[in-house]
Amino acid sequence: MVPRHDLTAGRRPEPSEAPTGAPPAGPPAPRGPQDTTTAGEALAGYLNRQAAELLRGLRLHDENAGSAETAAQAAEAVRLLRRSARRISGALHTFRPLLDSAWADRVSAELRWLSGVLAREHAYAARLDRLLAALHRLSSPAGGGDGGPGGGNNEPRTGRPGAGAAKAGALLERQLTLARTRAHSAALRALGSGRFHAVADEVAVLASDAPVQDRAADRPAELALGPLAELTHRRLVEAVESLPHGSQALAHTLTAEEGRHDAAWHQVRHLARLTRYGLEVLVGDPGSDDTTAPLHGALLLAGHQLDRHRDAAEAAAAAAAAGRTPRIAPATAYALGVLHADQRHEVEAARAAFVRLWPTA
């Protein structure tokens, strides 16, 4: 049985994930036991700050988009947009009972859409880098024991890509570069769409006025927000406890069962994020004397392994999809099969690392 922790008994949020050069707006100090902040004030303050961050990211993107010299700044602005969109959406979902429910559902869904559209270009680029690095590692004399991207330990991999490695890499580069280009175009269209401008208008209002409506919002933050955050945490615990175990969890054949297992782990990743965002609403930014530091740190470490799991699972799926390309040479198909097996090995390694970390989270 996974140990349960009460999120209402001293809490702490994660360290800032803001990109370099884009510090977040100053958060409040963590609230102590004598704090008289109401639930409405705490939630509205958090939403105001995250909305301001999203609008700042939008301004940075407008100032830097379309120029090769400022491409890095534009990419950082997109990261800031995604970061704030995720947090606003997560807070609206977790603390929905204190808000106008129809408004919260609508804005949360639109922010998930925005974050997803903006994430795809980076995801395709990172996936290509990961797969090409893994191909290079697997083709080296060491055979993949260097712990680089896609290789987290020194356990031997199955097979070698052989003569088909170069063509496999070229095929992956064509497919994923095309997907990245399309994702970039889709993101630009999204940022110029009426749908996005409607979301931006909602966020602009949210930056100064959050529609906190329920009478419970007048209660102390500890009493009204804590149980809602704990509910998300319990959902996380139950999702972890229901994960497949043993040989079921380690299967890496190309079957529908594999996809179902991956989906269950992706849901755990989603709930772990919601849990951390709930902590942010409850206590503001981390403090060195905050009693929730061990819990929050453990959630962060576990989250890193869940990110690693997601990246490896999606890279394996990309290798498998490339392997189904019609009329490719047998050597190329073999190299892609070896690459798929290598990434599924990474999936297993990430799951095992998460299981080791989970008792502390």
Side-chain angles (χ1 to χ4, degrees):
M1 180 66 67
V2 179
R4 299 176 185 268
H5 296 266
D6 183 1
L7 297 187
T8 66
R11 300 166 294 274
R12 169 184 183 174
E14 69 185 279
S16 170
E17 295 177 4
T20 303
R31 290 185 284 277
Q34 304 304 318
D35 195 346
T36 59
T37 303
T38 68
E41 291 168 343
L43 179 56
Y46 181 83
L47 292 173
N48 295 159
R49 291 188 299 276
Q50 294 302 327
E53 286 292 273
L54 191 148
L55 295 175
R56 188 164 70 89
L58 179 58
R59 287 194 299 272
L60 289 173
H61 186 270
D62 289 343
E63 293 167 1
N64 295 290
S67 169
E69 291 77 13
T70 58
Q73 291 90 328
E76 291 297 318
V78 168
R79 288 183 57 196
L80 184 58
L81 282 168
R82 291 171 49 212
R83 177 186 187 275
S84 300
R86 287 197 311 267
R87 279 162 171 74
I88 297 171
S89 179
L92 295 181
H93 174 83
T94 299
F95 302 106
R96 179 179 181 273
L98 300 183
L99 300 160
D100 178 328
S101 58
W103 173 87
D105 291 344
R106 184 181 72 255
V107 175
S108 180
E110 291 299 278
L111 289 171
R112 287 196 302 273
W113 161 76
L114 176 63
S115 180
V117 169
L118 296 180
R120 288 178 194 139
E121 180 183 359
H122 171 75
Y124 284 124
R127 199 169 304 154
L128 177 59
D129 289 345
R130 180 186 185 92
L131 288 169
L132 293 181
L135 267 177
H136 176 75
R137 171 176 44 78
L138 291 165
S139 301
S140 70
D146 61 357
N153 54 52
N154 292 320
E155 295 182 19
R157 298 298 197 266
T158 301
R160 296 279 295 277
K167 289 186 176 180
L171 177 60
L172 288 167
E173 189 156 12
R174 285 197 302 273
Q175 292 184 345
L176 291 175
T177 299
L178 177 60
R180 179 186 180 183
T181 300
R182 289 173 173 169
H184 178 74
S185 298
L188 291 179
R189 287 195 301 272
L191 290 174
S193 68
R195 183 178 182 181
F196 170 74
H197 287 296
V199 177
D201 289 344
E202 295 274 17
V203 172
V205 174
L206 187 58
S208 59
D209 182 25
V212 179
Q213 295 189 349
D214 193 272
R215 292 177 61 185
D218 295 328
R219 301 174 63 200
E222 188 89 3
L223 300 179
L225 298 179
L228 296 174
E230 176 61 21
L231 180 61
T232 299
H233 183 249
R234 287 201 301 270
R235 289 177 59 205
L236 169 62
V237 170
E238 291 165 1
V240 172
E241 290 176 342
S242 66
L243 287 170
H245 297 289
S247 59
Q248 281 187 317
L250 301 180
H252 55 74
T253 55
L254 275 173
T255 65
E257 192 71 12
E258 175 185 283
R260 285 195 293 272
H261 289 168
D262 288 347
W265 283 85
H266 296 336
Q267 176 66 6
V268 167
R269 176 178 175 272
H270 171 67
L271 291 171
R273 275 190 163 182
L274 287 182
T275 299
R276 290 190 287 113
Y277 299 162
L279 285 174
E280 288 185 352
V281 176
L282 283 165
V283 297
D285 229 20
S288 59
D289 59 346
D290 196 315
T291 58
T292 59
L295 170 60
H296 197 276
L299 283 171
L300 278 175
L301 291 174
H304 290 326
Q305 293 305 324
L306 294 170
D307 288 345
R308 176 188 173 198
H309 173 275
R310 187 273 314 271
D311 293 345
E314 292 183 347
R324 294 191 291 272
T325 303
R327 297 184 297 278
I328 60 174
T332 305
Y334 175 76
L336 291 167
V338 171
L339 186 58
H340 170 265
D342 175 77
Q343 293 302 299
R344 291 309 302 182
H345 179 97
E346 272 297 293
V347 167
E348 297 165 12
R351 291 177 181 180
F354 174 83
V355 169
R356 289 193 298 271
L357 289 168
W358 174 249
T360 64

PDB file of all heavy atoms in Angstrom, residues 15 39 46 55 60 63 78 148 155 177 216 255 269 272 326 330:
ATOM      1  N   PRO A  15       9.767  24.438  -6.898  1.00  0.00           N
ATOM      2  CA  PRO A  15      10.604  25.550  -7.320  1.00  0.00           C
ATOM      3  C   PRO A  15      10.118  26.065  -8.664  1.00  0.00           C
ATOM      4  O   PRO A  15       9.525  25.353  -9.439  1.00  0.00           O
ATOM      5  CB  PRO A  15      12.002  24.906  -7.429  1.00  0.00           C
ATOM      6  CG  PRO A  15      11.926  23.684  -6.581  1.00  0.00           C
ATOM      7  CD  PRO A  15      10.516  23.220  -6.662  1.00  0.00           C
ATOM      8  N   ALA A  39      -9.828  31.582   1.536  1.00  0.00           N
ATOM      9  CA  ALA A  39      -9.654  30.737   0.364  1.00  0.00           C
ATOM     10  C   ALA A  39      -9.810  31.554  -0.918  1.00  0.00           C
ATOM     11  O   ALA A  39      -9.052  31.373  -1.878  1.00  0.00           O
ATOM     12  CB  ALA A  39     -10.669  29.602   0.388  1.00  0.00           C
ATOM     13  N   TYR A  46      -3.422  33.709  -6.653  1.00  0.00           N
ATOM     14  CA  TYR A  46      -2.652  32.779  -7.491  1.00  0.00           C
ATOM     15  C   TYR A  46      -3.054  32.927  -8.956  1.00  0.00           C
ATOM     16  O   TYR A  46      -2.202  33.012  -9.855  1.00  0.00           O
ATOM     17  CB  TYR A  46      -2.888  31.352  -7.016  1.00  0.00           C
ATOM     18  CG  TYR A  46      -2.129  30.310  -7.803  1.00  0.00           C
ATOM     19  CD1 TYR A  46      -0.794  30.033  -7.505  1.00  0.00           C
ATOM     20  CD2 TYR A  46      -2.736  29.605  -8.830  1.00  0.00           C
ATOM     21  CE1 TYR A  46      -0.086  29.070  -8.226  1.00  0.00           C
ATOM     22  CE2 TYR A  46      -2.033  28.642  -9.555  1.00  0.00           C
ATOM     23  CZ  TYR A  46      -0.710  28.384  -9.249  1.00  0.00           C
ATOM     24  OH  TYR A  46      -0.011  27.437  -9.969  1.00  0.00           O
ATOM     25  N   LEU A  55       0.204  36.677 -19.795  1.00  0.00           N
ATOM     26  CA  LEU A  55       0.167  37.869 -20.636  1.00  0.00           C
ATOM     27  C   LEU A  55       1.579  38.403 -20.897  1.00  0.00           C
ATOM     28  O   LEU A  55       1.873  38.899 -21.990  1.00  0.00           O
ATOM     29  CB  LEU A  55      -0.687  38.945 -19.973  1.00  0.00           C
ATOM     30  CG  LEU A  55      -2.176  38.594 -19.829  1.00  0.00           C
ATOM     31  CD1 LEU A  55      -2.898  39.677 -19.036  1.00  0.00           C
ATOM     32  CD2 LEU A  55      -2.823  38.407 -21.192  1.00  0.00           C
ATOM     33  N   LEU A  60       6.205  38.959 -24.723  1.00  0.00           N
ATOM     34  CA  LEU A  60       7.561  38.565 -25.123  1.00  0.00           C
ATOM     35  C   LEU A  60       7.544  37.858 -26.471  1.00  0.00           C
ATOM     36  O   LEU A  60       8.434  38.063 -27.305  1.00  0.00           O
ATOM     37  CB  LEU A  60       8.179  37.658 -24.058  1.00  0.00           C
ATOM     38  CG  LEU A  60       8.567  38.313 -22.736  1.00  0.00           C
ATOM     39  CD1 LEU A  60       8.997  37.249 -21.724  1.00  0.00           C
ATOM     40  CD2 LEU A  60       9.689  39.319 -22.945  1.00  0.00           C
ATOM     41  N   GLU A  63       7.044  40.338 -29.277  1.00  0.00           N
ATOM     42  CA  GLU A  63       8.232  41.158 -29.497  1.00  0.00           C
ATOM     43  C   GLU A  63       9.352  40.402 -30.201  1.00  0.00           C
ATOM     44  O   GLU A  63      10.191  41.021 -30.873  1.00  0.00           O
ATOM     45  CB  GLU A  63       8.754  41.686 -28.158  1.00  0.00           C
ATOM     46  CG  GLU A  63       7.828  42.684 -27.482  1.00  0.00           C
ATOM     47  CD  GLU A  63       8.211  42.942 -26.040  1.00  0.00           C
ATOM     48  OE1 GLU A  63       9.213  42.348 -25.576  1.00  0.00           O
ATOM     49  OE2 GLU A  63       7.508  43.728 -25.366  1.00  0.00           O
ATOM     50  N   VAL A  78       7.312  31.077 -25.358  1.00  0.00           N
ATOM     51  CA  VAL A  78       6.349  29.987 -25.509  1.00  0.00           C
ATOM     52  C   VAL A  78       6.360  29.105 -24.272  1.00  0.00           C
ATOM     53  O   VAL A  78       5.305  28.663 -23.785  1.00  0.00           O
ATOM     54  CB  VAL A  78       6.666  29.168 -26.775  1.00  0.00           C
ATOM     55  CG1 VAL A  78       5.863  27.865 -26.790  1.00  0.00           C
ATOM     56  CG2 VAL A  78       6.345  29.980 -28.026  1.00  0.00           C
ATOM     57  N   GLY A 148      23.530   8.212 -22.098  1.00  0.00           N
ATOM     58  CA  GLY A 148      23.099   9.428 -22.769  1.00  0.00           C
ATOM     59  C   GLY A 148      21.604   9.430 -22.969  1.00  0.00           C
ATOM     60  O   GLY A 148      20.883   8.599 -22.429  1.00  0.00           O
ATOM     61  N   GLU A 155      22.861  -1.167 -18.469  1.00  0.00           N
ATOM     62  CA  GLU A 155      22.403  -2.485 -18.870  1.00  0.00           C
ATOM     63  C   GLU A 155      22.501  -2.624 -20.376  1.00  0.00           C
ATOM     64  O   GLU A 155      22.266  -1.677 -21.129  1.00  0.00           O
ATOM     65  CB  GLU A 155      20.957  -2.681 -18.419  1.00  0.00           C
ATOM     66  CG  GLU A 155      20.793  -2.681 -16.914  1.00  0.00           C
ATOM     67  CD  GLU A 155      19.358  -2.918 -16.511  1.00  0.00           C
ATOM     68  OE1 GLU A 155      18.591  -3.437 -17.346  1.00  0.00           O
ATOM     69  OE2 GLU A 155      19.008  -2.596 -15.373  1.00  0.00           O
ATOM     70  N   THR A 177      10.957  16.034 -38.694  1.00  0.00           N
ATOM     71  CA  THR A 177      11.142  17.437 -39.094  1.00  0.00           C
ATOM     72  C   THR A 177       9.885  17.956 -39.776  1.00  0.00           C
ATOM     73  O   THR A 177       9.463  19.104 -39.546  1.00  0.00           O
ATOM     74  CB  THR A 177      12.354  17.574 -40.028  1.00  0.00           C
ATOM     75  OG1 THR A 177      13.533  17.154 -39.333  1.00  0.00           O
ATOM     76  CG2 THR A 177      12.526  19.025 -40.475  1.00  0.00           C
ATOM     77  N   ALA A 216     -17.934  29.224   0.488  1.00  0.00           N
ATOM     78  CA  ALA A 216     -16.777  28.634   1.152  1.00  0.00           C
ATOM     79  C   ALA A 216     -15.514  29.450   0.912  1.00  0.00           C
ATOM     80  O   ALA A 216     -14.531  29.312   1.643  1.00  0.00           O
ATOM     81  CB  ALA A 216     -16.565  27.195   0.668  1.00  0.00           C
ATOM     82  N   THR A 255       1.710  -3.928 -28.956  1.00  0.00           N
ATOM     83  CA  THR A 255       0.334  -4.371 -28.799  1.00  0.00           C
ATOM     84  C   THR A 255      -0.508  -3.247 -28.243  1.00  0.00           C
ATOM     85  O   THR A 255      -0.006  -2.242 -27.737  1.00  0.00           O
ATOM     86  CB  THR A 255       0.257  -5.567 -27.816  1.00  0.00           C
ATOM     87  OG1 THR A 255       0.669  -5.118 -26.523  1.00  0.00           O
ATOM     88  CG2 THR A 255       1.142  -6.721 -28.266  1.00  0.00           C
ATOM     89  N   ARG A 269       1.150  10.912 -14.376  1.00  0.00           N
ATOM     90  CA  ARG A 269       1.941  12.128 -14.585  1.00  0.00           C
ATOM     91  C   ARG A 269       1.049  13.365 -14.512  1.00  0.00           C
ATOM     92  O   ARG A 269       1.414  14.369 -13.883  1.00  0.00           O
ATOM     93  CB  ARG A 269       2.643  12.052 -15.935  1.00  0.00           C
ATOM     94  CG  ARG A 269       3.425  13.293 -16.321  1.00  0.00           C
ATOM     95  CD  ARG A 269       4.128  13.077 -17.659  1.00  0.00           C
ATOM     96  NE  ARG A 269       4.786  14.307 -18.090  1.00  0.00           N
ATOM     97  CZ  ARG A 269       4.210  15.255 -18.814  1.00  0.00           C
ATOM     98  NH1 ARG A 269       2.938  15.116 -19.194  1.00  0.00           N
ATOM     99  NH2 ARG A 269       4.876  16.340 -19.165  1.00  0.00           N
ATOM    100  N   ALA A 272       0.038  13.976 -10.910  1.00  0.00           N
ATOM    101  CA  ALA A 272       1.160  14.469 -10.108  1.00  0.00           C
ATOM    102  C   ALA A 272       1.354  15.966 -10.324  1.00  0.00           C
ATOM    103  O   ALA A 272       1.639  16.719  -9.383  1.00  0.00           O
ATOM    104  CB  ALA A 272       2.432  13.708 -10.477  1.00  0.00           C
ATOM    105  N   PRO A 326       5.993   2.039 -45.700  1.00  0.00           N
ATOM    106  CA  PRO A 326       6.015   1.051 -46.794  1.00  0.00           C
ATOM    107  C   PRO A 326       7.343   1.043 -47.556  1.00  0.00           C
ATOM    108  O   PRO A 326       7.983   2.080 -47.729  1.00  0.00           O
ATOM    109  CB  PRO A 326       4.867   1.524 -47.718  1.00  0.00           C
ATOM    110  CG  PRO A 326       3.999   2.377 -46.853  1.00  0.00           C
ATOM    111  CD  PRO A 326       4.919   3.028 -45.858  1.00  0.00           C
ATOM    112  N   PRO A 330      14.911  -3.964 -45.454  1.00  0.00           N
ATOM    113  CA  PRO A 330      14.904  -4.783 -44.231  1.00  0.00           C
ATOM    114  C   PRO A 330      15.904  -4.294 -43.185  1.00  0.00           C
ATOM    115  O   PRO A 330      15.606  -4.312 -41.991  1.00  0.00           O
ATOM    116  CB  PRO A 330      15.252  -6.179 -44.741  1.00  0.00           C
ATOM    117  CG  PRO A 330      14.784  -6.184 -46.160  1.00  0.00           C
ATOM    118  CD  PRO A 330      15.019  -4.797 -46.668  1.00  0.00           C
TER     119      PRO A 330
END
